[in-house]
Amino acid sequence: MKILLDTADVNAIRRAYEYFPLDGVTTNPSILAAAGRAPYEVLGEIRDLLGKDGDLHVQVISRKAEDMLAEAQRIREKLGENTFIKVPVTPEGLKAIMLMKERGIRVTATCIYTVQQAFLAGKAGADYAAPYVNRIENLGEDGVKTVQRMQDVYDANGFGTCLLAASFKNTRQVTGLAEYGIGAMTLPPDILEGLLKNPCVDSAAEKFIADFETLRGPGATMLD
Ligand code: E4P
């Protein structure tokens, strides 16, 4: 299971990489808009942080397949050929995914709300497919179960596409998919940090320190 960070906040990425076992960064046009900076400037900084082999996912904006392909080529020139190109699974997007795969471009099918879209993205040969867990829940469906069904479709058909679950709003959604063993998930920094936020753990760790200090004095550690 890969864990990626869903943000273009360079400081947040740097901090999260220090404390968590991470595999890459995903962005989308809304995330870039929130960063409020020139897109290739911020994406270049993220690429430098990840190194040339780090997983970086960047979305195209155009509506027509041929224009999406041109954008994909520009993104790869600017950020490296191993950059994953995110393409919404619309009819034009599906066409673009096939054009990109014919040219050996790494593709992340995105904007996935339904099992049908995930099925078609897998059939078209996308490397990753990104279903939106919480947005699915906002439509009244069970987001975790829907993504699990997508994994079942891939397993049943032997598709090589890996699910990259996105749009998380709580840690229950994260563990629900971790238990099922999907390929990857991308988390906003607050949800990632929420996986370790637990006052019981903090107070247990503090109690160990305090007990040891009663034995060996304030500030003592196993170095002493
Ligand atoms: C992935 O990058 C998706 O675009 C993103 O996770 C969507 O999340 P949101 O529903 O919080 O906008």
Side-chain angles (χ1 to χ4, degrees), residues 50 52 54 110 117 171 214:
L50 299 184
K52 69 176 174 45
T110 193
Q117 282 175 292
T171 56
T214 62

Side-chain angles (χ1 to χ4, degrees), residues 6 26-28 31 86 110 132 135 166-167 169 186:
D6 201 21
T26 55
T27 63
N28 66 32
I31 284 173
K86 291 177 72 181
T110 193
Y132 288 180
R135 294 197 201 186
S167 180
K169 289 295 169 288
T186 184

Side-chain angles (χ1 to χ4, degrees), residues 114-188:
T114 65
V115 176
Q116 295 90 317
Q117 282 175 292
F119 170 63
L120 287 171
K123 175 70 183 155
D127 299 275
Y128 284 102
Y132 288 180
V133 181
N134 199 67
R135 294 197 201 186
I136 293 169
E137 303 219 327
N138 287 343
L139 295 176
E141 302 292 326
D142 184 325
V144 170
K145 278 223 174 72
T146 303
V147 175
Q148 291 173 345
R149 284 179 59 212
M150 294 174 188
Q151 184 65 56
D152 293 345
V153 167
Y154 287 172
D155 292 343
N157 289 279
F159 290 159
T161 304
C162 186
L163 285 173
L164 169 56
S167 180
F168 287 92
K169 289 295 169 288
N170 62 61
T171 56
R172 184 194 58 79
Q173 295 164 334
V174 174
T175 50
L177 290 173
E179 281 165 17
Y180 207 71
I182 64 157
M185 54 177 66
T186 184
L187 308 176

